[in-house]
Amino acid sequence: MFSDFMVNTWIAASLVAVVAGCIGFFVVVRGATFAAHALPLSAFPGAAAATLLGVNQFAGLVVFAALGVAGISELARRERHEVATALCLVALLGLGTLFLSLTSEYAQSVYALLFGDVLGISEAELPPLALMAVVCIAAILLLFRPLLLSAVSPDLAASGGIATRLTEIAFLGILALATAIALPLVGALLVFSLMVGPASAARALSARPAVAMVLSAVIALVTVWAAVALSYLTNWPIGFFVGGLASLCYIGGRLLK
């Protein structure tokens, strides 16, 4: 479990968990769970485009996540936010279908990006992963007050000089970057549960925002560690354990409350 090739897995899983836990707190507070579900799926076609063009998959994930943010932000000015998110998701998934149909070398990579490939993290992938994780956490800490205030009371935030639209774009940008970080490890279908489950449990356990965010990161970290260990011992998919444990975290938090 702690052999050389597993060290990269533990490091990457820890980075992803901390980032997902921190941004997940704001996903829950802002009621942005649909966006947290849609952005991983809309970023996923970026990997298909990168495979088709023969470039780094992470670059494709970041570009398409950014397109998702731009599309949601622009469409939200004309439509309800959930409608804008759905329209953007449908458009990007349509592009993903096209890209996948044009290449014959995607099967395994597509499966990995949908459900995660915890044992496929190489040592060369750790430095950029760590850098992106630091950028995400730094941005969250820097924007902690505007993100929180605009979620609790947009009118009060606006009266206090906070640009609520720019704050929303910044939040979606951080969420998109966190998605691109987590996608190769836990997959597009499980990023959502890793962000929402631990954060919901943390919110149930504490009403203090800073404490709840730290608790969310800790719960996400324990969840991913347990999922990696159980996946290694049973040879079952890590996605199953991430989703199941995240759900148990929420149920446990509600019961303790």
Side-chain angles (χ1 to χ4, degrees):
M1 188 185 299
F2 299 101
S3 55
D4 291 342
F5 79 97
M6 285 293 292
V7 171
N8 296 336
T9 297
W10 287 108
I11 295 173
S14 300
L15 291 171
V16 167
V18 172
V19 172
C22 290
I23 191 63
F25 167 75
F26 287 103
V27 167
V28 172
V29 169
R30 299 176 70 86
T33 52
F34 186 29
H37 176 64
L39 277 175
L41 293 175
S42 62
F44 163 72
T51 301
L52 179 63
L53 298 174
V55 299
N56 186 276
Q57 282 190 344
F58 185 74
L61 290 172
V62 171
V63 169
F64 269 69
L67 287 175
V69 171
I72 291 172
S73 300
E74 185 60 31
L75 289 172
R77 299 173 63 181
R78 299 173 175 82
E79 299 283 352
R80 292 174 57 186
H81 199 279
E82 63 272 20
V83 174
T85 303
L87 290 172
C88 186
L89 172 62
V90 169
L92 289 175
L93 283 179
L95 281 176
T97 303
L98 173 63
F99 295 146
L100 292 177
S101 69
L102 296 176
T103 179
S104 60
E105 301 178 358
Y106 66 85
Q108 186 58 38
S109 61
V110 168
Y111 180 85
L113 285 167
L114 281 174
F115 300 101
D117 187 13
V118 68
L119 300 180
I121 304 297
S122 66
E123 191 170 345
E125 292 176 294
L126 290 180
L129 180 64
L131 177 62
M132 294 298 100
V134 169
V135 169
C136 273
I137 294 173
I140 291 169
L141 295 176
L142 183 65
L143 297 173
F144 184 87
R145 183 177 176 276
L147 287 173
L148 185 63
L149 192 57
S150 61
V152 175
S153 177
D155 292 336
L156 182 60
S159 65
I162 295 174
T164 54
R165 174 166 168 74
L166 290 178
T167 302
E168 177 69 14
I169 294 173
F171 165 71
L172 289 174
I174 299 171
L175 180 59
L177 186 57
T179 290
I181 292 172
L183 212 60
L185 186 70
V186 297
L189 300 178
L190 273 301
V191 173
F192 173 71
S193 60
L194 187 58
M195 288 182 177
V196 174
S200 299
R203 282 277 292 157
L205 294 173
S206 176
R208 298 174 61 185
V211 174
M213 189 180 77
V214 173
L215 271 176
S216 176
V218 170
I219 294 171
L221 192 60
V222 173
T223 297
V224 168
W225 283 349
V228 171
L230 290 170
S231 178
Y232 180 87
L233 293 172
T234 62
N235 203 30
W236 291 4
I238 186 175
F240 165 73
F241 292 111
V242 170
L245 291 173
S247 300
L248 289 175
C249 286
Y250 172 71
I251 294 171
R254 297 300 299 180
L255 290 175
L256 285 175
K257 184 179 180 180

